[in-house]
Amino acid sequence: MRPEEHMGDLACRRVRTDALIFVFPSDHRLASQAAVAPEEIVNETFYLPSKAAPAVRRVVLEYFNRAGIDLKPEYEVHNVVHAISMITSTRGIMMLPAYTKRYLPDSITTRPRGEKYPRST
């Protein structure tokens, strides 16, 4: 369970942290790179996790904010299945927790973030 906003009376303890990774079609131009820097997706179709995933959404927004990028996502994605559908059908890019790699079809690949912008904790 992750800490959620407005749940002050609920005690949470971190037991696992997953890195965020870039997720996009396997034949995308960024697939040839070892890692992806945030400025490389500025002119791409980008999806943001919806408010149904507030912790992931917040970390993605903070990451781009630290990079000085005013993120303008075209859509919000509600879950991993929705992400797979949107990425496959519209060739967009998204950031998801690394554990989601195990659910992705071969038509979608992942790359780590460029480490120029450190992770938030």
Side-chain angles (χ1 to χ4, degrees):
M1 179 172 197
R2 64 181 173 255
E4 301 290 344
E5 295 177 19
H6 313 298
M7 299 294 284
D9 58 339
L10 179 64
C12 295
R13 186 179 76 204
R14 184 181 307 225
V15 295
R16 177 183 167 155
T17 300
D18 276 304
L20 286 180
I21 55 174
F22 283 98
V23 181
F24 44 83
S26 297
D27 62 350
H28 192 279
R29 67 176 181 82
L30 296 173
S32 64
Q33 298 181 187
V36 176
E39 57 272 7
E40 294 179 281
I41 64 96
V42 170
N43 294 318
E44 299 283 344
T45 299
F46 187 81
Y47 307 121
L48 184 65
S50 74
K51 292 178 183 175
V56 176
R57 179 187 179 95
R58 184 178 59 250
V59 173
V60 169
L61 290 171
E62 288 172 359
Y63 174 72
F64 284 100
N65 186 42
R66 282 192 315 277
I69 294 172
D70 183 21
L71 194 60
K72 298 203 182 335
E74 295 197 24
Y75 302 100
E76 292 188 359
V77 175
H78 303 295
N79 55 50
V80 176
V81 174
H82 188 200
I84 290 169
S85 174
M86 293 298 288
I87 292 166
T88 301
S89 63
T90 65
R91 304 191 48 75
I93 297 175
M94 187 168 187
M95 290 187 87
L96 291 171
Y99 79 85
T100 61
K101 286 196 291 190
R102 70 184 93 168
Y103 305 115
L104 301 176
D106 291 340
S107 61
I108 296 177
T109 193
T110 66
R111 291 295 179 272
R113 297 176 294 159
E115 289 301 317
K116 181 176 178 182
Y117 305 97
R119 297 178 195 168
S120 63
T121 55

